[in-house]
Amino acid sequence: MKTVLLTGSSGFLGKIIKDYLTLNRFNIITLSRSYKSDVVCDLSKQNPLLTNGIDTVIHAAGKAHSVPKSRNEAQEFNDVNVRGTKNLLLGLEKVSLPKQFIFISSVSVYGLEKGELINEEAPLLAKDPYGLSKIAAEQSIIDWCTQNNVIYTILRLPLLVGENPPGNLGAMIKAINSGYYFNIAGGITKKSMILALDVAKTIPLISQIGGIYNLTDGFHPSFESLSSVIATSKNKKKPPNMPMFLAIFIGYLGDFLGNKAPVNSIKIKKIISNLTFDDSKIRILLKFKSEPVIEYLKNNVI
């Protein structure tokens, strides 16, 4: 039975990874800022005090994607995602080194707002604080693992799906529940997504191989199909449609109002642009089959 150090164990994805690995008889050492963790540590400020015998590290801790409202908030991405990663690596150097290191990264490293089936060979063009912090963290891990002969795996993830999801999906569910969600121009825009549980299932399979991989459900659902199945599961009416010209006008109005507006023209542009990622690399390697997000939503209330 392998011993796994899991950072970010109290987060949305961390909890799911922990439950799955525990169920499959892995010995889990949790690390987070929560007092309930085995190792209580704020990685952005200190090196963790670890013990020998860690076979695998899963680094899922990090500051989640958001738009910073101040310079201090932007700096937090560097503090948590970059400095936190380096502090973890320094802590590992003080004990026997692990055999494998898995890092939970993001498709935000590509820095793209639109595109279809973007693969791992695409350049890393992120300019925002979150994407830049993930690029820097990836490079620190690659350098450290290469130097110390540790197998590294980097999983670049899109929107995560599961019970009580955070981020944009959580905001969509809230809006549908409240009756103020609209699809724009028929909601035909497609986005890549992945079930958090499928991420957890993939980790033991890929950890001994290593490499850099995108991971999606392989179907990239449209906003219309996503919102319709969520509305049905919540016993709500099918979300109405907003014409494109009206959405564009609201975006420009948001530009005029500034931070007071919930949307602006940049956000509207993102909403109406396809953004999907190609994960055939890991699918072919592992013969990996993920559950379609839409099928999961049909059978589960989130």
Side-chain angles (χ1 to χ4, degrees):
M1 185 164 61
K2 291 185 178 180
T3 298
V4 176
L5 174 68
L6 172 63
T7 75
S9 55
S10 60
F12 171 72
L13 179 59
K15 289 178 181 177
I16 292 172
I17 292 173
K18 177 189 172 185
D19 290 346
Y20 177 78
L21 294 183
T22 300
L23 185 65
N24 285 274
R25 299 180 61 79
F26 287 84
N27 179 33
I28 310 298
I29 301 172
T30 58
L31 186 158
S32 75
R33 290 177 292 182
S34 171
Y35 71 92
K36 295 181 180 180
S37 296
D38 299 316
V39 180
V40 180
C41 178
D42 183 345
L43 288 173
S44 68
K45 299 177 180 178
Q46 60 192 134
N47 302 338
L49 296 176
L50 304 172
T51 59
N52 290 314
I54 296 170
D55 298 299
T56 302
V57 177
I58 303 172
H59 185 26
K63 180 173 172 58
H65 195 181
S66 62
V67 178
K69 297 179 181 179
S70 67
R71 186 174 296 178
N72 286 339
E73 286 189 15
Q75 180 61 35
E76 285 180 13
F77 286 109
N78 187 74
D79 293 342
V80 176
N81 296 343
V82 183
R83 186 185 302 165
T85 297
K86 291 180 178 178
N87 282 339
L88 172 62
L89 298 176
L90 288 171
L92 289 169
E93 288 178 359
K94 297 176 182 178
V95 296
S96 57
L97 296 179
K99 297 174 184 176
Q100 298 102 18
F101 192 109
I102 298 93
F103 178 52
I104 302 301
S105 189
S106 166
V107 292
S108 293
V109 296
Y110 299 113
L112 298 174
E113 296 179 358
K114 63 179 180 179
E116 296 189 34
L117 298 180
I118 300 153
N119 66 26
E120 296 89 347
E121 300 304 316
L124 307 186
L125 302 175
K127 297 291 189 293
D128 63 296
Y130 175 73
L132 288 171
S133 72
K134 285 295 189 180
I135 292 173
E138 283 190 10
Q139 193 59 54
S140 293
I141 290 163
I142 292 170
D143 292 343
W144 186 87
C145 288
T146 301
Q147 180 181 348
N148 291 287
N149 198 28
V150 175
I151 299 171
Y152 67 84
T153 303
I154 294 173
L155 296 178
R156 293 174 178 162
L157 306 182
L159 185 69
L160 288 169
V161 180
E163 187 176 354
N164 297 317
N168 290 335
L169 182 57
M172 174 188 276
I173 294 169
K174 183 178 180 181
I176 291 172
N177 272 329
S178 302
Y180 59 82
Y181 178 82
F182 293 82
N183 281 313
I184 298 174
I188 61 174
T189 301
K190 292 186 175 185
K191 304 287 184 182
S192 288
M193 303 177 187
I194 182 69
L195 292 178
L197 180 57
D198 277 332
V199 177
K201 290 178 178 179
T202 304
I203 287 173
L205 303 176
I206 198 63
S207 62
Q208 296 183 42
I209 301 172
I212 300 174
Y213 306 94
N214 296 334
L215 194 59
T216 79
D217 80 337
F219 291 87
H220 323 290
S222 67
F223 280 126
E224 191 281 328
S225 59
L226 191 66
S227 61
S228 293
V229 74
I230 291 173
T232 299
S233 71
K234 301 289 185 181
N235 294 317
K236 301 291 182 179
K237 292 182 179 179
K238 183 178 179 179
N241 183 58
M242 179 183 293
M244 181 71 78
F245 76 87
L246 181 57
I248 292 173
F249 172 77
I250 291 173
Y252 284 133
L253 182 62
D255 294 342
F256 176 76
L257 295 174
N259 292 333
K260 296 180 181 179
V263 296
N264 55 27
S265 58
I266 293 176
K267 190 166 185 178
I268 292 295
K269 184 179 179 181
K270 288 182 180 179
I271 292 173
I272 62 176
S273 299
N274 288 337
L275 185 58
T276 61
F277 297 88
D278 178 13
D279 67 350
S280 58
K281 179 180 174 182
I282 196 169
R283 287 182 179 277
I284 293 170
L285 181 63
L286 298 181
K287 295 181 174 55
F288 171 67
K289 293 183 179 180
S290 56
E291 181 179 2
V293 165
I294 293 298
E295 292 304 312
Y296 171 85
L297 293 174
K298 287 179 181 178
N299 299 314
N300 296 273
V301 177
I302 64 172

